Amino acid sequence: MAAVNWRPVIIFLVLAYALAWLAALPLWLGGGLRDPLFGVYAVLMMFTPAVAALIVSRFVDRPASIPRELGLVEVRPVGRFLLYLGLGLVVPVVLGMGALIVGAWLGVYPADFENFSGFEAALREQTEAVGAPMPAIPIGILVAAQFFNIFIGTIINTVPALGEELGWRGWLLPRLMPLGAPAAIVVSGVVWGLWHAPLILLGYNYQDGPGWLGVLAMCAMCMVFGGVFAWLRLRSHSVWPAALAHGALNASAGLMFVFVMAGSGFSTFHAGVLGWSGWILPLLLIIALGLAGQFRPAASYKVRRTQSPTAKP
């Protein structure tokens, strides 16, 4: 098996990290997470891995086809592609719900799966804030509607999620595969987690603990869910199922506020997909997929070494 070519990997990492810190710099110089333009800067940051991958592909790797190299145009066989697109849409939502069930069972997530009291209280607070009456719709129907909102949110979130996935699973993962799938998943997961540091150190995602612990937790979360995304990328030969799964994971993160018990609090270090209890199911899934040989890339998926005539060896 060929060894990892670390030169383009290091260049990619330097670019992705430097651009991420540059995108987040206004938050550090301004209002942090309370900055009114936080969402804009966060979305800009999500595109930095794609920019790094495109720069390295254009000026360092120089493959025969950059879109093909990054998994943007691999859609055949169509049946396989559609299958993994569907899995990319469904699996993260199932894991997100499973995280809440496991968290409730372990006692780290105060759930109300019957009356949805926390969600109802939040709706009442929101409607009272704008002087409107509570919707005359059963709360169960409103909860069910949240899953339709997740579908819409997934489609919207897939665009910025592709900005990340072009870098992490589109470009980086294949270059690390000579290490073996387990090591490639761990290394790419740690890289992905550390990339979030400009926001995590400001308190994003993990607000009830020190920043360094939040970064460690984010690395662990990215390793387990990155393993799921890696499976989708390797088996589909395309980056699109991973991007869709990333969008679905982001869109379903709010489920923790739909099923929480009214008047209760929880720590994201412990509950939801961000917390350790939410990593159990994806870790078990990765182990099962590994035992089934689902992380073996097909021969057609090997990193292409074809270079343009002007490229240096």
Side-chain angles (χ1 to χ4, degrees):
M1 180 178 291
V4 174
N5 183 358
W6 289 106
R7 178 174 173 269
V9 170
I10 292 172
I11 295 173
F12 166 79
L13 295 181
V14 170
L15 286 171
Y17 280 36
L19 291 171
W21 277 98
L22 183 62
L25 184 60
L27 300 176
W28 281 82
L29 299 177
L33 301 184
R34 295 183 298 276
D35 192 298
L37 294 178
F38 170 80
V40 174
Y41 296 129
V43 170
L44 286 175
M45 182 174 160
M46 292 181 72
F47 283 99
T48 58
V51 173
L54 291 171
I55 291 175
V56 174
S57 296
R58 175 64 180 84
F59 297 104
V60 182
D61 278 350
R62 299 184 181 181
S65 171
I66 292 177
R68 185 174 298 278
E69 188 79 1
L70 298 180
L72 282 169
V73 295
E74 295 283 0
V75 297
R76 293 185 179 181
V78 175
R80 180 184 63 193
F81 176 70
L82 293 177
L83 169 64
Y84 284 100
L85 273 182
L87 290 170
L89 176 62
V90 173
V91 169
V93 180
V94 172
L95 292 176
M97 273 301 304
L100 303 183
I101 295 171
V102 171
W105 180 60
L106 293 173
V108 297
Y109 176 71
D112 184 355
F113 294 121
E114 296 182 3
N115 300 313
F116 318 112
S117 56
F119 183 57
E120 185 174 18
L123 282 178
R124 183 176 292 107
E125 181 179 347
Q126 292 171 8
T127 54
E128 289 177 354
V130 297
M134 275 286 288
I137 304 174
I139 189 66
I141 294 179
L142 293 176
V143 169
Q146 300 311 302
F147 289 91
F148 178 75
N149 290 339
I150 288 175
F151 173 76
I152 300 299
T154 296
I155 303 304
I156 296 173
N157 286 334
T158 295
V159 176
L162 180 64
E164 289 193 46
E165 290 306 313
L166 281 175
W168 310 135
R169 258 62 62 176
W171 191 91
L172 180 62
L173 179 67
R175 272 93 190 147
L176 296 177
M177 284 302 289
L179 299 173
I185 289 171
V186 170
V187 173
S188 61
V190 171
V191 165
W192 182 25
L194 290 175
W195 171 86
H196 288 87
L199 299 184
I200 301 298
L201 292 174
L202 289 173
Y204 187 67
N205 282 345
Y206 302 98
Q207 299 183 359
D208 55 341
W212 64 267
L213 186 58
V215 172
L216 289 179
M218 197 68 193
C219 287
M221 181 266 191
C222 287
M223 279 191 286
V224 293
F225 281 96
V228 177
F229 298 169
W231 161 61
L232 294 170
R233 165 65 160 125
L234 293 171
R235 301 312 297 177
S236 69
H237 301 188
S238 170
V239 74
W240 289 104
L244 190 66
H246 194 150
L249 183 66
N250 289 351
S252 59
L255 287 174
M256 65 179 72
F257 302 108
V258 174
F259 296 100
V260 70
M261 184 178 295
S264 300
F266 59 90
S267 170
T268 51
F269 281 102
H270 303 292
V273 296
L274 294 170
W276 63 265
S277 65
W279 308 335
I280 297 174
L281 290 182
L283 182 58
L284 292 176
L285 175 60
I286 291 171
I287 293 173
L289 291 170
L291 293 175
Q294 288 294 298
F295 290 104
R296 291 197 304 266
S300 61
Y301 181 68
K302 292 179 180 179
V303 177
R304 298 168 182 84
R305 300 297 180 183
T306 304
Q307 295 179 310
S308 65
T310 59
K312 296 181 180 180

